[in-house]
Amino acid sequence: IKHPLQNKWTLWYYENDRTNTWEKNQKEIASFDTVEDFWSLYNHIKLASELRQGCDYSLFKAGIRPMWEDAANKRGGRWLINLERKQRSNDLDRFWLDIILCLIGEAFENSDDVCGAVVNIRGKGDKIGIWTADATNSEGVKEIGRKLKDRLHIKQKDTIGYQVHKDTMDKSVAKNFYTV
Ligand code: M7G
């Protein structure tokens, strides 16, 4: 018998195809709800650092689309980790795996608030976002941010910011709603 996860998760892949809309370029790859099925999927796909520029992976609870518009995301926001170019070879794959393990292992006290996580592979610098459902739940959001920094061994002085999706929608660089 396999080891069940508390939630079922879906992995999505985004490839930048200009003949299609952004939403159509989001493709569901697979869903899993056991530890064993997660590792067989993970071991079978490319590392984030091996994807082409412009691609994303997203891991969301099954039933939530990796989009601001989804009912589960529309009142939420994301903790954003901006990586420097040189971190693609050191930190990117480790951060992404550690974040996946935090998600599927329900590592946060406020794990119910977590919707999913996204990694963007970009020439200007890769990004990882952890999406939560309710930007106004300040204690829950901050607990997730602090735990994230701790689990990724991000230095105390290197702050990370939480941005509300509604602000990101209006301008690509949104102000920080919280920082930890
Ligand atoms: P990005 O891929 O998050 O970051 O957003 P980037 O600027 O570093 O590439 C790029 C563009 O993708 C946005 O300006 C939107 O046009 C589109 N986009 C991104 N997201 C996360 C969404 C979304 O959730 N919904 C919709 N409709 N478009 C999005």
Side-chain angles (χ1 to χ4, degrees), residues 76-82 99 108 110 113-114 116-120 127-135 137-149 152 154 158-165 168 176-180:
R78 64 170 172 179
W79 282 110
L80 183 60
I81 300 167
N82 282 299
I99 285 167
F108 309 103
N110 294 277
D113 256 37
V114 172
V118 181
V119 57
N120 306 117
K127 293 179 281 183
I128 299 179
I130 290 78
W131 290 32
T132 75
D134 180 3
N137 177 12
S138 59
E139 282 318 309
V141 171
K142 284 188 274 185
E143 183 264 327
I144 291 167
R146 284 190 296 262
K147 176 73 59 69
L148 201 58
K149 258 183 92 164
L152 299 182
I154 295 174
D158 295 334
T159 59
I160 57 171
Y162 182 91
Q163 294 127 32
V164 177
H165 293 319
T168 308
N176 288 333
F177 205 64
Y178 308 110
T179 53
V180 293

Side-chain angles (χ1 to χ4, degrees), residues 7-12 28 58-74 111-117 131-133:
N7 278 290
K8 185 173 186 179
W9 298 85
T10 302
L11 182 71
W12 298 73
E28 252 186 84
S58 303
L59 185 76
F60 275 73
K61 286 176 179 164
I64 306 180
R65 291 165 308 143
M67 304 171 187
W68 307 315
E69 295 86 349
D70 193 279
N73 295 320
K74 66 181 184 197
S111 281
D112 285 352
D113 256 37
V114 172
C115 298
W131 290 32
T132 75

